[in-house]
Amino acid sequence: MKKKIKIGLLINPNRKFYEWEINLINSIKKSNYCQIKAILHEPKPNKNESNLKKFFNVFFKKNIFNSFLHFLIKLVENKFSSNLYTKDNLFKHIRTVKIYSKRRGYNDYFNSKDVTKIKKLKLDVILRRDFRILKGDILNSAKYGIWSLHHGDNDFIRGIPPGFWETFYNLPITGVTLQKINEILDGGHVIDKGYYGTKFFWKHNESFIKEKSVQIVLKNLKKIYNKKNIKFKKSKSTLNTKYYSNPKLYHLFFYIIKKYPYFILKKFIRLLFPINLFFNKWKICEIKNSNLKNFENNINSIIFASPFYQYWADPFYFRNGQKDYLFFENYNLLNMRGKISCAQIFQGNLTNVVDVIKKDYHLSYPNIFRLGKKIFMIPETAEKKRVEIWTCVKFPEKWKLFKTIFKNESWVDINFFKDKKGNKWLFGNKSNDKYLDHNSELYIYKVQDNNFNQLVPHIKNPVIIDSRTARNAGKMFYNDKSELIRPSQINIFEKYGYGLSLNKVSKLTINDYQETQIKKITINKNSRLSGIHHYAQGNGKIYIDKLFKF
């Protein structure tokens, strides 16, 4: 049995903690691959400031107008803000080691006695949550160094505050960097990065990326446990990277002017004109392979008609006998719920439309496939917090529930795939956070049998942490060059269905996964299209779904 890796936390155990910090610490404590061996803590006397002194600090030492705008933003964006919690038992039964720092400017130095004390613990990793810029031999006090999260992409944005500048400049993505720290501010050796679609509001963006960053830490701790090499990459030179500080008064003022009137107007229009939902519709289109380059302009495509109160999306092509079929999500705008429908493709039309799986909960993404002599389907059933596998009793309209897997977990858009060597795989998108975000992480499992009883997780799960490519967008397939292609969604800003990515998989084993984007498909802003998020092919045709503006 492998030994758990030993973690030390540079943290003040007496302060209050954000929810994401509690999730990270509890995840480490509950894991079967690592353990917290010590809390490295600097005791500090409690400072009892009088109310008058606090008043003086806020209104005289700081800019009164700046403070007011900060207060206003927190008030308006309160539902997105992370709350602080007191957790008395968070570090129960964990050893506390007292260390003392010498402060010089923005730097913290530790004497050789304290560093020796830490080294004797023989820690694999130290995670830093408190203290400032660490200097000296303490940086070498754990086998794999001291790790720290920078809630930003340190190639472009270093400094503070987390999540603000990406929203201020309306950047499509916000990065998170896990680094092995050195003596350079936010310039440590990069261990891993995650990328997430930037949220509209600052406090939403900040809370979101902090919550999501938990998986980056856990993924890389698991790598050490599995004896996989941690590759430390040098950060970009500080000459090419801008350092940011807390926004000044004019930054906050322009942030409020840019964000709040637009948001209020948008909400007002939606309340006044709910009928708009019926005129911006997802529809399924058929396109010839040769016209792939014309996706953006909607050239030479057939748009399949659907009732005005229905969205049709997530098309999956399936051939049975001598007939061609499309299975798809049929979303009813009146009851706000999806079901799985099927239609025969005949002479450029969808005919004999029938409902095949209809429940009192939402269904979509009908991934249909053959395995042995059976036909299976894995529709998206995230609302039920489980993954359902259905088997066909009478094609195409009669199905029965075969098995449920991943119980009490929130999964979407699962692909079953059998490679040329006969290996069977599940690719899916799971949410581990309170936001129920399924756009950012891709997980892989190897299927060891034909009944889905033995599922082995990929050693690098999640294999991708990037909302630009993580979420599945249709079946994987081999192209005419025998290259394995995985379609995925591009989800940036807060736009679901911003575009499609076709990715060439160059390595797929239980220990490794690598892919490269070979084509990016986005919508021409001057067209009547507003979104695209699914790709399927069969019988010399391509089937996609598009969001049309009317």
Side-chain angles (χ1 to χ4, degrees):
M1 184 176 179
K2 287 190 282 189
K3 291 182 180 179
K4 291 185 177 183
I5 61 174
K6 293 179 287 187
I7 309 295
L9 295 181
L10 270 170
I11 201 167
N12 176 6
N14 301 316
R15 67 171 171 86
K16 292 183 177 181
F17 296 90
Y18 289 104
E19 189 175 0
W20 76 271
E21 292 178 304
I22 296 169
N23 290 344
L24 174 58
I25 293 165
N26 282 332
S27 294
I28 293 173
K29 288 165 64 177
K30 293 174 184 176
S31 77
N32 60 3
Y33 53 88
C34 55
Q35 59 182 324
I36 301 173
K37 292 294 289 184
I39 306 300
L40 309 177
H41 167 45
E42 182 176 29
K44 292 180 181 178
N46 291 323
K47 295 181 180 180
N48 295 317
E49 290 185 341
S50 66
N51 290 332
L52 183 62
K53 190 172 181 180
K54 288 180 182 178
F55 178 87
F56 176 83
N57 284 335
V58 172
F59 291 99
F60 290 92
K61 287 189 177 180
K62 297 180 181 179
N63 185 307
I64 183 173
F65 299 107
N66 197 297
S67 298
F68 172 75
L69 292 183
H70 265 286
F71 171 77
L72 178 63
I73 290 169
K74 286 182 180 180
L75 186 67
V76 172
E77 302 177 18
N78 179 57
K79 75 172 185 175
F80 301 126
S81 298
S82 297
N83 295 318
L84 283 164
Y85 300 90
T86 301
K87 286 287 182 179
D88 296 328
N89 296 321
L90 192 60
F91 302 111
K92 193 175 181 180
H93 305 309
I94 299 175
R95 178 182 177 184
T96 298
V97 178
K98 295 179 181 179
I99 56 176
Y100 300 87
S101 66
K102 291 182 180 179
R103 297 193 166 195
R104 297 178 194 168
Y106 295 103
N107 305 319
D108 288 340
Y109 294 83
F110 296 84
N111 61 44
S112 58
K113 183 180 177 182
D114 282 344
V115 173
T116 301
K117 196 190 303 182
I118 298 170
K119 286 183 176 180
K120 284 182 178 179
L121 297 171
K122 296 183 178 179
L123 301 171
D124 292 297
V125 174
I126 295 174
L127 299 178
R128 184 195 70 173
R129 280 302 307 137
D130 293 318
F131 294 93
R132 303 178 304 162
I133 302 174
L134 302 181
K135 298 278 189 176
D137 196 34
I138 191 171
L139 296 172
N140 304 312
S141 57
K143 184 176 180 180
Y144 294 94
I146 299 177
W147 294 8
S148 180
L149 281 166
H150 169 60
H151 291 102
D153 183 348
N154 72 341
D155 283 344
F156 304 101
I157 294 180
R158 297 183 187 179
I160 55 175
F164 175 78
W165 296 105
E166 292 88 348
T167 57
F168 184 80
Y169 290 115
N170 199 32
L171 301 181
I173 57 169
T174 299
V176 172
T177 307
L178 177 63
Q179 53 190 342
K180 176 186 174 184
I181 62 175
N182 53 26
E183 296 186 351
I184 301 172
L185 175 63
D186 294 336
H189 292 299
V190 175
I191 300 167
D192 205 353
K193 290 188 179 184
Y195 297 95
Y196 312 94
T198 301
K199 303 301 179 186
F200 185 77
F201 287 122
W202 166 24
K203 290 302 174 183
H204 189 188
N205 201 40
E206 178 182 357
S207 178
F208 181 80
I209 60 173
K210 285 180 174 178
E211 182 75 28
K212 300 298 291 184
S213 66
V214 170
Q215 293 304 315
I216 302 177
V217 178
L218 297 176
K219 172 183 177 176
N220 287 281
L221 291 176
K222 208 182 302 178
K223 273 187 184 179
I224 295 176
Y225 175 75
N226 289 317
K227 294 183 167 43
K228 295 298 173 184
N229 290 331
I230 298 289
K231 296 180 181 178
F232 301 108
K233 299 178 183 177
K234 283 188 177 181
S235 296
K236 282 188 177 179
S237 167
T238 55
L239 298 174
N240 302 320
T241 309
K242 184 174 180 179
Y243 282 90
Y244 291 83
S245 57
N246 279 316
K248 300 185 185 304
L249 178 66
Y250 67 89
H251 290 128
L252 296 176
F253 177 76
F254 281 115
Y255 169 81
I256 290 170
I257 293 300
K258 285 196 297 184
K259 299 291 181 179
Y260 294 175
Y262 174 81
F263 181 77
I264 292 169
L265 179 62
K266 192 174 178 181
K267 286 288 184 182
F268 184 70
I269 291 173
R270 284 184 177 178
L271 286 172
L272 283 182
F273 304 105
I275 192 70
N276 186 55
L277 287 171
F278 293 88
F279 292 99
N280 290 273
K281 294 183 60 177
W282 286 99
K283 292 189 175 185
I284 296 173
C285 304
E286 180 187 271
I287 300 177
K288 294 180 180 179
N289 283 355
S290 59
N291 289 323
L292 183 65
K293 63 183 179 180
N294 295 321
F295 271 15
E296 297 91 335
N297 299 315
N298 196 36
I299 295 174
N300 296 330
S301 66
I302 297 172
I303 305 170
F304 296 122
S306 60
F308 83 96
Y309 59 89
Q310 291 178 353
Y311 288 171
W312 286 6
D314 295 350
F316 280 85
Y317 170 86
F318 192 78
R319 186 169 180 83
N320 193 51
Q322 300 300 313
K323 296 180 180 179
D324 299 317
Y325 297 86
L326 272 190
F327 288 78
F328 57 92
E329 173 195 354
N330 185 337
Y331 186 84
N332 190 310
L333 285 164
L334 301 177
N335 63 18
M336 309 293 281
R337 183 176 293 141
K339 58 187 175 182
I340 305 303
S341 295
C342 172
Q344 185 180 344
I345 306 168
F346 184 71
Q347 295 182 350
N349 292 307
L350 294 185
T351 62
N352 302 322
V353 178
V354 293
D355 298 336
V356 298
I357 305 179
K358 183 178 180 182
K359 307 297 289 184
D360 60 355
Y361 49 89
H362 177 75
L363 297 123
S364 64
Y365 203 85
N367 179 231
I368 181 172
F369 56 93
R370 280 191 174 88
L371 184 57
K373 296 181 179 180
K374 294 181 180 179
I375 299 174
F376 290 95
M377 184 192 296
I378 307 179
E380 184 259 289
T381 53
E383 186 180 326
K384 294 294 286 183
K385 288 289 182 74
R386 66 186 188 189
V387 171
E388 297 180 353
I389 303 174
W390 292 72
T391 185
C392 188
V393 177
K394 181 181 178 183
F395 192 88
E397 72 276 8
K398 194 171 182 181
W399 297 75
K400 70 175 181 179
L401 185 62
F402 175 75
K403 186 183 291 290
T404 58
I405 57 176
F406 300 135
K407 295 177 183 178
N408 299 314
E409 295 181 1
S410 183
W411 287 82
V412 301
D413 300 356
I414 288 188
N415 283 338
F416 173 86
F417 173 71
K418 188 174 182 180
D419 65 27
K420 288 184 176 180
K421 295 179 180 178
N423 298 309
K424 300 180 286 291
W425 306 91
L426 290 179
F427 284 63
N429 305 106
K430 179 172 67 167
S431 171
N432 296 286
D433 55 85
K434 65 180 182 181
Y435 291 101
L436 291 179
D437 166 58
H438 298 95
N439 296 332
S440 306
E441 292 106 8
L442 175 66
Y443 291 81
I444 300 176
Y445 283 76
K446 191 171 185 179
V447 183
Q448 299 282 59
D449 64 345
N450 284 354
N451 294 314
F452 301 92
N453 291 321
Q454 301 175 51
L455 305 176
V456 181
H458 197 282
I459 206 161
K460 289 187 176 181
N461 273 343
V463 296
I464 293 176
I465 304 178
D466 191 335
S467 68
R468 295 169 298 183
T469 58
R471 186 160 178 170
N472 289 322
K475 275 189 178 183
M476 299 171 66
F477 61 93
Y478 288 101
N479 64 13
D480 53 6
K481 298 178 183 178
S482 293
E483 297 170 330
L484 178 56
I485 306 298
R486 185 182 72 90
S488 67
Q489 296 181 13
I490 301 171
N491 291 307
I492 56 178
F493 299 106
E494 283 188 293
K495 173 68 176 176
Y496 177 65
Y498 186 91
L500 285 174
S501 175
L502 297 181
N503 313 289
K504 182 176 75 172
V505 178
S506 56
K507 187 161 286 189
L508 173 56
T509 68
I510 196 63
N511 294 315
D512 201 5
Y513 181 78
Q514 295 175 24
E515 69 174 33
T516 306
Q517 184 184 75
I518 59 172
K519 187 164 186 65
K520 179 180 177 182
I521 304 160
T522 55
I523 298 302
N524 187 329
K525 293 181 179 179
N526 296 321
S527 72
R528 47 191 287 250
L529 301 177
S530 181
I532 177 173
H533 78 353
H534 194 91
Y535 178 101
Q537 64 175 31
N539 196 30
K541 303 289 193 305
I542 292 174
Y543 300 93
I544 60 172
D545 56 13
K546 295 180 180 180
L547 181 61
F548 286 84
K549 297 180 290 188
F550 290 90

